[in-house]
Amino acid sequence: MKKENCLKKNDDFQLVFKRGKSVANRQFVLYFLKKEEQSTIRIGISVSKKLGNAVTRNRIKRYIREAMREIIPQLHQSYDLVIIARKPTVEMGLDEIKKSLLHVLKLSRIKKR
């Protein structure tokens, strides 16, 4: 993902959690907040320590970033997203993660038709 597509600051995460809406499937929870003044989509990723050691968590984040890099052009811009990985993502590969992310994005109606 490009630098302008990253959500980094804790205040930004908290704003999405408090004011945004959420949808979920078995693998991911997606919080999203519409930001009219913003021209690009920003994405934050959260992987809990409960899912495994640092190597496992970083692999999951790499897979999510790579999947989102391919998906971003298909999404409505001017949103802040926070993606939270759940336990089943530990055993998933890149293709499965991408498919699951597409599913949760369709549920949220952020993905263009």
Side-chain angles (χ1 to χ4, degrees):
M1 281 188 327
K2 295 179 183 168
K3 197 169 189 175
E4 67 262 14
N5 294 121
C6 293
L7 193 64
K8 294 275 188 188
K9 295 187 173 152
N10 186 37
D11 291 342
D12 294 336
F13 273 80
Q14 295 306 319
L15 187 68
V16 175
F17 288 136
K18 288 178 183 166
R19 294 204 185 141
K21 297 177 182 173
S22 68
V23 293
N25 60 13
R26 296 185 77 144
Q27 295 83 17
F28 297 103
V29 179
L30 175 71
Y31 285 88
F32 57 98
L33 178 64
K34 180 100 168 130
K35 292 239 175 143
E36 297 292 343
E37 69 277 1
Q38 190 172 290
S39 63
T40 60
I41 192 164
R42 296 190 308 167
I43 300 165
I45 301 170
S46 176
V47 182
S48 170
K49 285 186 176 182
K50 292 178 184 178
L51 298 188
N53 62 13
V55 175
T56 304
R57 295 192 311 270
N58 287 332
R59 181 179 48 81
I60 292 168
K61 287 188 273 189
R62 273 197 317 273
Y63 284 169
I64 293 171
R65 279 195 296 271
E66 177 61 23
M68 289 307 294
R69 188 180 64 77
E70 297 172 14
I71 295 171
I72 284 175
Q74 304 170 29
L75 302 177
H76 292 290
Q77 303 300 304
S78 68
Y79 274 95
D80 280 352
L81 308 178
V82 176
I83 300 168
I84 301 173
R86 287 182 165 174
K87 190 72 173 166
T89 57
V90 174
E91 290 96 28
M92 294 170 68
L94 177 60
D95 292 335
E96 295 169 301
I97 284 179
K98 184 177 176 184
K99 186 176 175 185
S100 182
L101 282 171
L102 282 169
H103 175 255
V104 81
L105 287 164
K106 282 180 188 172
L107 290 175
S108 68
R109 296 191 175 100
I110 293 173
K111 186 174 181 303
K112 295 177 186 173
R113 303 248 174 228

